[in-house]
Amino acid sequence: MKSFKSQEEARAAGVYISKIRSFVKREGRLTNAQAKAIEGNWPSKGLSIDQGMLNFDHVFGRTAPTVLEIGFGMGKSLVEMTATAPQHNFIGIEVHRPGIGACLADAEEAGVENLRVFEHDAVEVLAQSIADDSLHRLQLYFPDPWHKTRHHKRRIVQRDFVQNIRTKLAIGGTFHMATDWQHYAEHMMDVMTQADGFENTSSEETTGYVPRPDYRPITKFEVRGQKLGHGVWDLIFKRVS
Ligand SMILES: C[S@@+](CC[C@H](N)C(=O)[O-])C[C@H]1O[C@@H](n2cnc3c(N)ncnc32)[C@H](O)[C@@H]1O
């Protein structure tokens, strides 16, 4: 079979190649409250890649630093952050529909105006909807660890992914990761230390990790990890070039 250098080249030749994704779509049941929250809030808070490259000033009706979170789960900690930082715009991306519903229900209850959400693969959202040099911060909290060695290729933090993030962050913008899997933390540290254009913000010279900053609430998966006796590792890298 002919080999292709990229998905684009294969697509142009009419050949479909399955992508390695960082998630498996679970068809979790949507509760009535989640379905109602989606129906009621999607018109004001939902975003779609069909809208093309976003202009954040138009989306939020103001100019403000914009924070993007990938894989917000049920969205509780994202809504909490959004409510405590009204001076920032927040965009959350999640593929799990009940999570979208739960997040929108919480957002409605909290009365936040500065949050928008995508129900889509974050890799595609980044490529198609987020302008270069536009983000103040990108958050990736407790991404699926894919702990079996044969699944490591599904981990979202990889060399190419990190360079995509670099192009989307403004110079001086930060990429904040957290995980409760030591092996994934070490992988993140390896990838980020070798990545061009980033500088570690940690003052902890031996480990390179940072304490959880005040702006990051404890997340649902973090609590689950804590109950299992897991540690937590936060990494914050700044785009410098
Ligand atoms: C382990 S959960 C963590 C959720 C949340 N951040 C927390 O700490 O509670 C990881 C989440 O990332 C989502 N996810 C994984 N890959 C994704 C992708 N490419 N785009 C959007 N969401 C993704 C999954 O659906 C899942 O809800």
Side-chain angles (χ1 to χ4, degrees):
M1 191 184 146
K2 182 176 175 357
S3 66
F4 297 95
K5 288 201 194 75
S6 64
Q7 292 274 350
E8 285 67 35
E9 197 181 292
R11 242 195 315 271
V15 174
Y16 175 76
I17 296 176
S18 70
K19 287 188 204 162
I20 299 166
R21 296 198 190 270
S22 59
F23 59 91
V24 174
K25 201 131 166 61
R26 294 162 288 145
E27 286 313 321
R29 228 182 74 80
L30 209 57
T31 64
N32 286 342
Q34 289 163 355
K36 224 174 112 204
I38 293 176
E39 200 186 310
N41 292 281
W42 196 258
S44 59
K45 293 199 168 58
L47 295 173
S48 149
I49 58 164
D50 299 337
Q51 291 169 249
M53 202 52 85
L54 297 179
N55 176 326
F56 297 155
D57 292 359
H58 288 168
V59 169
F60 290 94
R62 63 171 185 175
T63 302
T66 300
V67 176
L68 185 85
E69 179 160 328
I70 293 177
F72 58 73
M74 300 305 266
K76 213 172 180 50
S77 56
L78 175 59
V79 171
E80 199 178 320
M81 290 179 91
T82 306
T84 49
Q87 74 282 14
H88 288 165
N89 298 330
F90 286 84
I91 298 177
I93 313 177
E94 180 52 65
V95 288
H96 184 52
R97 196 163 172 78
I100 298 278
C103 179
L104 288 175
D106 272 359
E108 184 179 339
E109 198 182 318
V112 296
E113 302 286 345
N114 53 334
L115 173 65
R116 302 290 182 275
V117 297
F118 276 96
E119 183 187 359
H120 203 88
D121 181 352
V123 173
E124 291 179 6
V125 172
L126 278 175
Q128 297 182 40
S129 306
I130 307 299
D132 288 354
D133 309 314
S134 66
L135 296 175
H136 173 69
R137 183 167 71 234
L138 196 138
Q139 308 180 161
L140 179 70
Y141 299 150
F142 305 89
D144 297 294
W146 294 109
H147 50 268
K148 290 184 185 150
T149 309
R150 69 189 157 90
H151 286 152
H152 282 179
K153 57 181 179 293
R154 283 183 173 272
R155 288 178 167 174
I156 198 163
V157 177
Q158 306 286 355
R159 241 173 41 187
D160 289 354
F161 173 75
V162 158
Q163 287 306 318
N164 287 342
I165 285 176
R166 177 183 169 198
T167 61
K168 302 303 168 186
L169 285 171
I171 301 279
T174 51
F175 179 25
H176 183 184
M177 286 155 274
T179 182
D180 61 337
W181 284 86
Q182 184 170 2
H183 185 263
Y184 201 1
E186 287 163 0
H187 169 78
M188 288 169 171
M189 189 60 82
D190 275 356
V191 171
M192 291 309 298
T193 309
Q194 287 168 35
D196 288 336
F198 283 100
E199 192 178 276
N200 194 346
T201 65
S202 174
S203 52
E204 188 57 66
E205 279 174 22
T206 41
T207 68
Y209 299 105
V210 293
R212 176 172 62 86
D214 288 342
Y215 68 77
R216 182 174 80 69
I218 293 178
T219 79
K220 184 168 178 227
F221 267 77
E222 185 169 9
V223 171
R224 206 174 80 164
Q226 282 171 342
K227 284 185 186 146
L228 295 169
H230 295 180
V232 173
W233 293 267
D234 279 76
L235 298 82
I236 304 182
F237 279 73
K238 183 163 75 174
R239 180 183 172 193
V240 289
S241 66

